[in-house]
Amino acid sequence: MTFLEKWLYIIRNCSFDNSYKAAWAKAITEIAVEYDFHQPIASTVQIGLEDIAKKVIRYYFEQMIFFDLKQSPNPNKPPKIVSLVKELIAEYQKATQSAQPVKWFRSNIEVICKMQYEKTVKQVKTALKVDVSYRFLTVEGKVVEDVYNYERNADFLYIATDNMRELKENSLIVFDAINYRWSQMLENFNHSPRICKKVKIIDEDKVRRKPLTKFFQLIAAENPDHICFHCGKKIIDETPAIDHVIPWSYLYSDDLWNLVYSHQTCNSSKSNVIPSEGTIQRLEERNSRLLAILMIQGQNNKHVSELEMAINNGLVRKFWISCQG
């Protein structure tokens, strides 16, 4: 097999116990993409585990601060790196006094939480040494040879320059394979929709949100008087906001079963807070009423079908429980 074939073989056969191998492969591939092959170079490239750790922290930071995706089957015993990144997120939110999700490169976290960040880098580097660096090359009990050289507990690994160049030239294929495999893993641990998009979103410049105007008339079928879902008062002298009851940042999805009318101020004040069980019960009751009205009206489109499916499968409650971590 060529180096690329070996790399893809390892990725596609990662075990489902946690996502460390996917994160490790992604970090090394990203380092290859960033590497300057125009400079005078030797036959091998030295990669520091600290550099890998910094990228791994970023991947988990964005997956968790936006979507709180579980990375292993045991929610009571998350992987060490996940716990470390959660502690970093908590410190960042405390320092900024905001729970609003933010992309890593806009967070300025290395400055805002400098001491905690540097501590986390060291701890993640240690965890990678213990749990990933040497295990990555083992597939079904056999070591895949001639991928990279690494001495147990060392601070660096070494990859042939030609292999790094091959990674860079084929990075789009490799990233697609990693994201697909990572998504497969997460589907075993999470009940959240659109896992693949959530994994891929960390590669994009920003999280794009679509306008919600197409839902306006559907919501009005059950709420023609424009009563705010949150405070129960009539919305007067302003256009009702369309609000995600379960915050959009947890679901990364616009679904009729999760959308309600709200005052602009009520919408802003709730921010990214997970709703109470009482709120979830009211949403479930609203959905039942809304579906009955839409069926009587003879409305038949994908949003109505998704609403019916959500009711039949108890999705509101399932996602509410899931987003609590």
Side-chain angles (χ1 to χ4, degrees):
M1 288 192 292
T2 65
F3 170 80
L4 180 63
E5 289 171 338
K6 291 177 182 178
W7 196 252
L8 292 173
Y9 170 74
I10 293 170
I11 292 166
R12 289 165 179 161
N13 289 277
C14 287
S15 65
F16 281 93
D17 52 352
N18 67 50
S19 57
Y20 280 4
K21 285 190 175 183
W24 174 268
K26 191 162 194 167
I28 293 175
T29 303
E30 190 174 324
I31 289 170
V33 171
E34 295 169 350
Y35 193 77
D36 182 7
F37 288 95
H38 295 98
Q39 62 178 331
I41 51 178
S43 59
T44 59
V45 175
Q46 175 182 278
I47 298 177
L49 263 69
E50 183 171 309
D51 294 328
I52 297 174
K54 290 177 180 178
K55 293 185 180 299
V56 168
I57 290 169
R58 190 182 92 232
Y59 305 150
Y60 285 124
F61 175 92
E62 293 193 339
Q63 282 195 23
M64 286 186 287
I65 201 168
F66 276 99
F67 313 118
D68 200 23
L69 294 174
K70 299 179 182 67
Q71 302 287 337
S72 69
N74 187 348
N76 298 318
K77 191 178 180 182
K80 177 67 173 177
I81 294 175
V82 172
S83 297
L84 292 171
V85 175
K86 281 192 172 183
E87 291 172 9
L88 179 60
I89 290 173
E91 188 70 20
Y92 175 75
Q93 292 177 335
K94 179 181 177 181
T96 59
Q97 296 185 324
S98 173
Q100 188 71 24
V102 60
K103 293 287 286 181
W104 176 270
F105 292 121
R106 291 188 176 91
S107 70
N108 200 27
I109 192 169
E110 298 102 322
V111 175
I112 294 173
C113 300
K114 186 175 187 295
M115 291 182 62
Q116 181 70 31
Y117 172 69
E118 291 175 351
K119 177 183 176 182
T120 303
V121 170
K122 291 179 181 178
Q123 291 172 316
V124 169
K125 175 183 172 183
T126 299
L128 291 173
K129 284 184 180 182
V130 171
D131 200 37
V132 190
S133 53
Y134 68 96
R135 290 179 56 215
F136 177 77
L137 300 176
T138 303
V139 178
E140 297 179 346
K142 296 181 180 180
V143 176
V144 181
E145 302 288 348
D146 300 322
V147 176
Y148 58 70
N149 295 321
Y150 180 73
E151 296 291 334
R152 196 88 170 257
N153 295 319
D155 289 333
F156 299 92
L157 60 84
Y158 299 87
I159 299 183
T161 303
D162 288 343
N163 293 343
M164 285 283 282
R165 186 178 285 106
E166 192 171 356
L167 263 187
K168 180 172 185 173
E169 292 172 351
N170 296 278
S171 59
L172 293 179
I173 296 172
V174 174
F175 284 137
D176 280 347
I178 293 169
N179 287 336
Y180 176 71
R181 190 57 173 165
W182 203 333
S183 301
Q184 281 187 308
M185 293 180 189
L186 296 183
E187 285 172 354
N188 287 270
F189 319 140
N190 296 271
H191 298 292
S192 182
R194 298 170 175 83
I195 294 271
C196 190
K197 283 190 176 182
K198 292 176 180 178
V199 171
K200 189 177 180 180
I201 204 70
I202 61 178
D203 295 330
E204 299 180 2
D205 179 59
K206 61 181 180 180
V207 180
R208 296 174 177 85
R209 300 181 68 166
K210 297 179 181 179
L212 301 175
T213 50
K214 61 185 176 182
F215 294 101
F216 201 92
Q217 292 302 320
L218 292 169
I219 298 171
E222 187 273 336
N223 187 3
D225 295 326
H226 298 175
I227 304 301
C228 177
F229 181 82
H230 298 295
C231 72
K233 297 178 181 179
K234 188 169 183 176
I235 302 169
I236 302 174
D237 297 331
E238 66 175 272
T239 301
I242 298 180
D243 180 46
H244 298 75
V245 179
I246 298 174
W248 182 88
S249 59
Y250 288 97
L251 297 182
Y252 186 44
S253 177
D254 300 320
D255 302 286
L256 179 58
W257 54 264
N258 190 42
L259 298 174
V260 298
Y261 282 158
S262 166
H263 283 104
Q264 300 286 348
T265 52
C266 291
N267 185 15
S268 300
S269 63
K270 69 181 279 289
S271 184
N272 201 42
V273 177
I274 299 172
S276 67
E277 184 171 11
T279 300
I280 290 302
Q281 185 173 343
R282 288 195 298 113
L283 180 61
E284 290 173 324
E285 293 168 353
R286 189 293 304 256
N287 284 342
S288 295
R289 294 193 302 271
L290 177 57
L291 179 62
I293 292 169
L294 294 175
M295 297 290 279
I296 291 171
Q297 292 178 350
Q299 299 222 34
N300 184 19
N301 56 47
K302 71 171 186 175
H303 301 302
V304 177
S305 297
E306 289 173 355
L307 174 63
E308 184 175 17
M309 182 269 292
I311 292 171
N312 292 339
N313 291 279
L315 293 190
V316 170
R317 194 160 294 265
K318 285 181 180 178
F319 290 148
W320 174 66
I321 293 170
S322 176
C323 76
Q324 294 179 75

